[in-house]
């Protein structure tokens, strides 16, 4: 049984406070987890409890820590750590709000993940195995190598430009291709006199004039690294369009131009045509602009992966609504958007059951915790985005996948499901 739940305030990859939780069992086994934090957060995310006031810019999490050490500790003592669903629902009920605003999603998620670890440790089972059982596969990974939007201080409005291995003989083989492409991109930027400083997710943050320039750079890096765009390495991007949506004009203000929703759709389509290696686009419209999301999916959903992040925030109720309306064909999954492991598993199941793909995701503010890598393997998540192959809080997720691949054997790395290139005429 659970004998103690404890939390402390630690710091994330941006130097902001976050919650670390520990669950100790009666036999002394302990599980620990660290909670990540986003910057381009969706409005419907579960509430990350911050202290406010003067200390640490108001971002302290001592209230959330106290909630773990008092109320949550008291409620979970004596419970069975192997019944994760029960543990999570006890915390949801104790919180009593629809969005975990009272105790904090950061408090609840920390304990939820730490309990999974404690239970896995008690059974001497790897985390991915404890959560997932047998017949597991390594995910296809998406690597944000040019950072814009809320993640960098440049003028690019599209948030994330990603590269992803398509053909690969193993996870390691795919990751090596990504690393080679990343280093090639750095050389290209340096030769052009651009900054090679890094953004929040380990990607470069050069001061480019447009997103199209960023896409061209990725295309050039893939080619110059010796790979076939669209066959060996594909491109994906997260527009995070809520952040350039103008609520007054109902237009999208992107890099000096104001686009109507239809014009924006054409703008994206021009990129798909110019760069057929683009295989996935996330949040092409604002989180409240469901009509245009649906319209876009009707038009391009059979050719390209369209991922919904901010409109659904890993919330099973919102995902159900999105599926009913045909909002996208893929769901982004972030543990801390909903706040428990149980509800995150529910979100994945719901999406899959309805033929949607799932892309499991880190946050822009991360920690050294590799929970998300194990989680992705456990749910046969298919896809994981965890940043560039740089900055240890990113790379550790991939290093963990290398370890898991070694344990599972190389045949567990399936090939990507995407077509090698698409004709948009
Ligand atoms: P965030 O960005 O972690 O800053 O929210 C990730 C995303 O929008 O997918
Ligand atoms: Zn996103």
């Amino acid at each position: 049984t659970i004998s103690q739940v404890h939390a402390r305030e630690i710091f994330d990859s941006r130097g902001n406070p976050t919650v670390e939780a520990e669950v100790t069992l009666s036999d002394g086994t302990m599980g620990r987890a660290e909670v990540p934090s986003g910057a381009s957060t969706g409005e419907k995310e579960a509430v990350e409890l911050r202290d406010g006031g003067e200390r640490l810019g108001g971002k302290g999490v001592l209230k959330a820590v106290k909630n773990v050490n008092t109320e949550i500790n008291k409620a979970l003592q004596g419970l069975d750590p192997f019944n994760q669903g029960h543990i999570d629902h006890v915390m949801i009920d104790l919180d009593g709000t629809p969005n975990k605003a009272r105790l904090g999603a950061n408090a609840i998620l920390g304990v939820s993940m730490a309990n999974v670890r404690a239970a896995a440790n008690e059974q001497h089972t790897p985390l991915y195995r404890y959560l997932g059982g047998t017949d597991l596969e390594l995910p296809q990974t998406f690597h944000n190598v040019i950072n814009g939007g809320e993640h960098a201080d440049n003028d690019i409005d599209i948030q994330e430009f990603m590269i992803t291995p398509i053909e690969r003989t193993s996870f390691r083989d795919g990751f090596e291709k990504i690393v080679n492409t990343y280093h090639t991109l750095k050389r290209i930027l340096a030769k052009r006199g651009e900054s090679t400083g890094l953004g929040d997710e380990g990607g470069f943050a050069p001061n480019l004039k447009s997103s199209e320039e960023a896409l061209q750079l990725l295309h050039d890096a893939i080619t110059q690294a010796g790979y076939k765009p669209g066959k060996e390495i594909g491109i994906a991007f997260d527009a995070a369009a809520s952040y350039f949506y103008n609520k007054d004009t109902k237009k999208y203000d992107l890099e000096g131009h104001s686009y109507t929703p239809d014009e924006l759709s054409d703008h994206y389509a021009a990129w798909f045509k110019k760069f057929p290696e683009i295989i996935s686009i996330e949040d092409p419209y604002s989180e409240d602009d469901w009509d245009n999301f649906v319209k876009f999916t009707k038009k391009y959903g059979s050719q390209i992966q369209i991922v919904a992040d901010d409109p659904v925030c890993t919330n099973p109720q919102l995902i159900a609504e999105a599926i009913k309306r045909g909002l996208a064909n893929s769901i982004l999954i972030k543990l801390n958007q909903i706040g428990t492991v149980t509800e995150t598993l529910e979100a994945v199941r719901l999406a899959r059951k309805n033929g949607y793909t799932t892309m499991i995701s880190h946050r822009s503010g991360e920690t050294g915790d590799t929970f998300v890598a194990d989680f992705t393997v456990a749910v046969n998540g298919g896809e994981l985005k965890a940043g560039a192959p740089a900055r240890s809080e990113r790379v550790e997720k991939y290093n963990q996948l290398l370890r898991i691949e070694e344990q599972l054997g190389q045949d567990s790395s399936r090939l990507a499901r995407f077509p090698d290139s698409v004709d948009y005429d």
Side-chain angles (χ1 to χ4, degrees), residues 14 37-42 45 150-151 159-160 201 238 240 282-283 309-310 332 334 361-365 385:
R14 278 194 280 246
S37 172
S40 76
T41 49
E45 291 194 20
E150 296 295 299
H151 296 166
Q159 181 176 285
E160 303 170 12
E201 297 191 346
D238 179 4
E282 180 180 329
D283 283 359
D309 173 13
D310 288 354
L332 200 80
K334 293 166 171 161
S361 171
H362 67 161
R363 298 308 302 248
S364 52
K385 69 165 182 174

Side-chain angles (χ1 to χ4, degrees), residues 42 122 126 147 161 236 261 315 326 328 345 348 392 402:
E122 211 272 342
N147 298 181
F161 297 88
N315 182 318
L345 287 168
V348 173
S392 288
L402 291 170

Side-chain angles (χ1 to χ4, degrees), residues 68-200:
V68 173
N69 293 341
T70 56
E71 282 190 63
I72 294 178
N73 178 42
K74 200 164 152 225
L76 298 192
Q77 272 177 0
L79 298 189
D80 172 11
F82 297 104
N83 193 342
Q84 186 69 31
H86 182 61
I87 301 282
D88 287 341
H89 281 286
V90 166
M91 289 193 283
I92 291 165
D93 292 345
L94 185 67
D95 173 79
T97 70
N99 54 4
K100 304 183 177 66
R102 196 178 74 81
L103 297 173
N106 41 356
I108 293 172
L109 179 66
V111 175
S112 180
M113 295 194 299
N115 182 69
V116 174
R117 271 236 172 77
N121 289 346
E122 211 272 342
Q123 297 210 325
H124 305 287
T125 312
L127 185 54
Y128 65 88
R129 183 72 77 196
Y130 173 70
L131 268 179
T134 54
D135 207 19
L136 301 174
E137 295 173 334
L138 272 292
Q140 176 174 16
T141 44
F142 289 75
H143 306 267
N144 179 6
V145 293
I146 295 183
N147 298 181
E150 296 295 299
H151 296 166
D153 286 328
N154 54 24
D155 295 330
I156 313 174
D157 287 325
I158 298 287
Q159 181 176 285
E160 303 170 12
F161 297 88
M162 294 172 271
I163 52 176
T164 177
I166 298 179
E167 273 184 14
R168 61 180 187 188
T169 56
S170 63
F171 173 77
R172 178 179 287 276
D173 174 59
F175 191 60
E176 283 182 13
K177 288 185 170 107
I178 293 299
V179 167
N180 286 333
T181 307
Y182 182 76
H183 290 300
T184 306
L185 176 60
K186 182 172 183 176
R187 277 194 294 275
I188 295 173
L189 288 171
K191 214 188 273 173
R192 285 175 41 156
E194 298 284 357
S195 157
T196 54
L198 303 185
D200 287 354

